[in-house]
Amino acid sequence: KASTWEFRFHNAAMSILQKIEDIEAEMARTQKNKATSYHLGQLKAKLAKLRRELITPKGGGGPAGEGFDVAKTGDARIGFVGFPSVGKSTLLTNLAGVYSEVAAYEFTTLTTVPGVIQYKGAKIQLLDLPGIIEGAKDGKGRGRQVIAVARTCNLIFIVLDVLKPLHHKQIIERELEGFGIRLNRKPPNVTFRRKEKGGINLTTTVTTTHLDLDTVKAITSEYRIHNADIVLREDVTEDELIDVIEGNRIYVPALYLLNKIDQISIEELDIIYKIPHCVPISAHHKWNYDDLLAKMWDYLSLIRIYTKPKGQLPDYESPVVLKDGHSSVEDFCNRLHRSIIGEFKYALVWGTSVKHQPQKVGREHILNDEDVVQIIKKI
């Protein structure tokens, strides 16, 4: 049964791929001007819909995926992406081997779960995402499941060979973009609300250079949305508007690791250092790992909170790690145990988030990195 399903799925994927190619060719042929903006908007929306179908084929059915999901352990998860033989494995083994005990997981489908590193008190899971590249977004190989795991990562390391980086970088970015993963970008500042009647209402608070009402209507009509309020608070492109309508996009920070710097000159290294989101390293010689780990910590934007039991010293060994933006006292309590917030009276906080040391705070108080917290319960 599985084989017939695979065959059917393969056929469906091929026809979708054909459609995608046709649309891309037509977009390349079409000149961009006011008269064609409606048509181009429609094509872009069609393209986004086809890509979504590739990742999640219509009709459900099909064999259940063979247990591919990796249990999420630790406080954050980093996925490694890269072409074969750029030094991913060396880097992973070194990082996980030098900074922690590697757990020997037996995973048949995902070839490696190399391990967890301990850094600044946080446990960070490192995942090698194999086979993401070779046409993964077209449903080839195990690509789709690998991407499902990639979408749960808090940070993506794109490992490149410093001697041939640009071409590879573009291919990897294109694959990840095709899956609705947006690297180093903020979600567009757009409000999109469907309604019962009244047509498409477009309000802009800035001058827009990419979108006008016609283009917006072209995109929404492709999604069969004929009544909606859309507010643009920044100058967004057609693709960003489609991202908002699709609503399943994931915005992940990414770091480009340029490996094999032992093969280039110092002058070239100086230039590489100026590229944004890049860290030059040598996995083999273990050069520049400390810089890599520092950058990793910045990009993960985690917040460590130390607990202080009543009448004892703070526990600086095992902090509670929260995500930036979800670091209220309530988040802290829920991270410890769900039942605590019910008995919560107030918290005493020492650290940079309060004026007085200690200070009584309520559950809405936002904590900073390395604050010390003591929870006082109702009696």
Side-chain angles (χ1 to χ4, degrees):
K1 187 187 171 191
S3 57
T4 55
W5 181 85
E6 272 163 17
F7 179 72
R8 279 213 315 265
F9 171 69
H10 184 72
N11 275 2
M14 288 323 287
S15 61
I16 294 178
L17 281 180
Q18 194 51 52
K19 285 182 195 164
I20 286 181
E21 267 175 38
D22 297 347
I23 291 180
E24 280 175 342
E26 189 175 342
M27 280 168 66
R29 282 200 305 271
T30 313
Q31 277 189 330
K32 205 173 170 182
N33 57 38
K34 251 195 133 96
T36 59
S37 65
Y38 184 88
H39 183 56
L40 277 171
Q42 259 184 328
L43 289 178
K44 281 189 173 162
K46 276 202 176 101
L47 203 58
K49 280 166 70 177
L50 287 170
R51 290 223 170 107
R52 183 184 59 201
E53 246 170 77
L54 265 184
I55 312 174
T56 50
K58 277 185 180 162
E66 294 100 51
F68 180 82
D69 282 341
V70 184
K72 196 163 186 177
T73 58
D75 303 303
R77 178 183 247 193
I78 297 178
F80 283 71
V81 185
F83 279 88
S85 75
V86 289
K88 271 196 314 202
S89 312
T90 320
L91 177 65
L92 278 162
T93 322
N94 284 348
L95 276 178
V98 174
Y99 294 99
S100 80
E101 318 71 47
V102 176
Y105 288 101
E106 285 302 313
F107 257 94
T108 44
T109 43
L110 181 64
T111 48
T112 50
V113 178
V116 178
I117 59 172
Q118 285 263 7
Y119 186 67
K120 292 194 176 181
K123 290 190 182 69
I124 297 164
Q125 185 182 36
L126 302 178
L127 289 185
D128 187 353
L129 302 175
I132 218 173
I133 302 314
E134 303 81 10
K137 75 167 188 297
D138 309 334
K140 294 196 191 99
R142 299 229 68 154
R144 298 212 331 280
Q145 288 128 309
V146 175
I147 293 293
V149 176
R151 286 173 65 105
T152 64
C153 292
N154 307 94
L155 173 63
I156 292 181
F157 278 172
I158 296 176
V159 190
L160 302 166
D161 187 333
V162 75
L163 302 171
K164 43 183 180 200
L166 275 175
H167 176 56
H168 281 182
K169 177 172 182 272
Q170 284 154 353
I171 296 180
I172 293 176
E173 282 173 345
R174 202 172 60 233
E175 287 287 332
L176 292 173
E177 291 270 320
F179 277 109
I181 295 175
R182 302 283 174 262
L183 303 174
N184 292 325
R185 299 220 303 258
K186 291 265 178 290
N189 193 351
V190 172
T191 316
F192 172 79
R193 247 204 344 267
R194 294 184 184 208
K195 50 186 187 176
E196 294 295 310
K197 50 181 191 284
I200 298 287
N201 260 351
L202 181 64
T203 322
T204 55
T205 57
V206 290
T207 346
T208 53
T209 53
H210 304 286
L211 291 173
D212 53 11
L213 189 55
D214 286 342
T215 320
V216 171
K217 280 185 174 163
I219 293 170
T220 51
S221 71
E222 188 53 48
Y223 283 97
R224 307 220 172 102
I225 297 170
H226 303 297
N227 302 304
D229 288 330
I230 299 171
V231 185
L232 307 180
R233 293 195 185 77
E234 62 185 13
D235 188 9
V236 293
T237 60
E238 294 100 325
D239 294 321
E240 287 174 319
L241 179 64
I242 292 172
D243 285 350
V244 172
I245 296 174
E246 283 271 348
N248 59 357
R249 303 298 189 236
I250 294 196
Y251 296 85
V252 187
L255 271 176
Y256 300 100
L257 314 186
L258 298 177
N259 190 14
K260 308 189 183 173
I261 53 171
D262 46 331
Q263 301 175 14
I264 59 170
S265 67
I266 294 288
E267 293 78 30
E268 288 171 304
L269 194 55
D270 282 342
I271 296 170
I272 288 175
Y273 245 105
K274 297 193 176 104
I275 308 173
H277 312 302
C278 268
V279 185
I281 54 163
S282 165
H284 183 64
H285 295 286
K286 303 188 184 173
W287 292 350
N288 208 17
Y289 274 18
D290 40 3
D291 193 30
L292 166 63
L293 288 169
K295 269 258 175 71
M296 170 192 86
W297 185 256
D298 282 352
Y299 276 62
L300 283 172
S301 57
L302 297 173
I303 287 175
R304 292 159 295 170
I305 309 295
Y306 301 113
T307 52
K308 180 186 179 310
K310 198 169 179 183
Q312 295 171 26
L313 288 171
D315 175 9
Y316 288 117
E317 289 303 302
S318 45
V320 176
V321 179
L322 303 171
K323 303 263 184 311
D324 194 13
H326 298 282
S327 62
S328 66
V329 173
E330 186 166 352
D331 294 320
F332 168 76
C333 291
N334 287 337
R335 192 67 206 263
L336 290 173
H337 198 277
R338 278 289 143 90
S339 66
I340 292 183
I341 201 73
E343 308 165 358
F344 177 84
K345 189 175 177 189
Y346 62 87
L348 291 173
V349 177
W350 291 257
T352 53
S353 67
V354 289
K355 278 184 189 164
H356 311 291
Q357 312 291 336
Q359 186 170 327
K360 271 167 87 163
V361 299
R363 62 174 68 186
E364 284 85 33
H365 177 76
I366 301 293
L367 299 163
N368 287 355
D369 193 24
E370 303 210 76
D371 280 0
V372 174
V373 177
Q374 180 183 340
I375 303 286
I376 309 291
K377 295 181 178 180
K378 294 175 190 154
I379 299 165

